[in-house]
Amino acid sequence: MSEEMNQVEVRSFEVGDKVTGQVSKVEEKQVVVNLQDSKLDGIIPISELSSLHIEKASDVVSEGDELELEVLKVEEDALILSKRKVDALKAWDQLEKQFQNGEIIETEVKDVVKGGLVVDLGVRGFVPASLVEAYFVEDFSDYKGKNLTFKIVELDKEKNRLILSHRAVVEEEKGKKKQNLLDSLTAGQVIDGTVQRITDFGAFVDIGGIDGLVHISQLSHEHVDRPTDVVQEGQKVQVKVLNVDRDNERISLSIKETLPGPWANISERAPKGSVFEGIVKRIVSYGAFVEVFPGVEGLVHISQIAHKHIATPHEVLKEGQEVKVKVLEVNEQEQRLSLSIKELLEKDVEENFDYELPEESKGFQLGEVIGEQLKNLRK
């Protein structure tokens, strides 16, 4: 085609016209295309190939690719075209629909820049560092080239502004998982969990995306002063669900309920006739309760405390005192132990007490007092 005819055909195009062209040559900083239904060639500068910064035109297109383009400039013998503008127009329409519908978009992270990540969705999308994950990330270099899911959190076509969040997707999924778990939980279930946090009043256990509280009273069958005496952060534990408050998303758990009770196998551990060192825990009018194992108390009836007659157990025992006891009877089903202190005491030693003589007998021999009483009886 002569140069004059070429110029005539060029002038038949206007800025903003949409054209289709096939890539005939890929150079480092530009691309040459053959325009459909025309003998003309068009040129796409590298800056008009993508919404993102690219180093080589071959990173975006290859020879033979068919592209939809927009006329940027009409020069004397050539058209300057843009792929980026056509892609952006299509992209904004799609992105607005996805934004309105709250759709999740999956795409590749094209670049890591100061303050966040960059993606290409037909237009440049930015993911601020605070919206990448639900936790702090120090180094984002490993994210380049990764495919991630995003939600659009801000869209402004006029300002060419597109802000995305991966964190929103993660938190939404976590919320759904949490709700599903709440719906599936029932009192009495036994499940595995991991201790997440420990407080003065108990431990929070992660049971699969949601935390439940094990109150300090539910950590062990034994008395617990500090939760850290029983559990540690990161520890794997088995818990029983005590209660589920779905409205307030609160779950009450128990570790104690999953452990063998202190009375388990007590018939084998404390058979009739066995002897233990115990601690007097409580004293009542009819006897004393002595702890022989953590959480296992047996009753020493008042008649089994001493060989001599005592009016109250306090005459002989005090709370916290260590005593030796013998098992008289054991009933595992009713969780009862009958114990004896008396059985382990020597009778003659117990009865060797120094009784004080009556006031009127002072100054006399005991035999004389008894003799005088016998005389009175014979009268």
Side-chain angles (χ1 to χ4, degrees), residues 97-115:
K97 289 176 186 174
Q98 291 172 321
F99 182 41
Q100 294 299 326
N101 297 331
E103 288 181 33
I104 292 172
I105 303 164
E106 184 172 349
T107 191
E108 180 187 347
V109 176
K110 292 291 186 181
D111 205 1
V112 175
V113 295
K114 186 178 180 181

Side-chain angles (χ1 to χ4, degrees), residues 3 7 38 41 56 93 108 186 197 204 234-235 241-242 265 285 305 308 330 336-337 349 353 358:
E3 186 175 330
Q7 288 175 351
S38 171
D41 285 342
K56 302 191 302 290
D93 290 341
E108 180 187 347
T186 55
R197 287 184 299 125
F204 287 93
Q235 182 180 339
V241 179
L242 298 181
N265 303 318
S285 60
I305 291 176
K308 68 174 184 176
V330 56
R336 278 189 355 205
L337 271 181
V349 172
F353 294 99

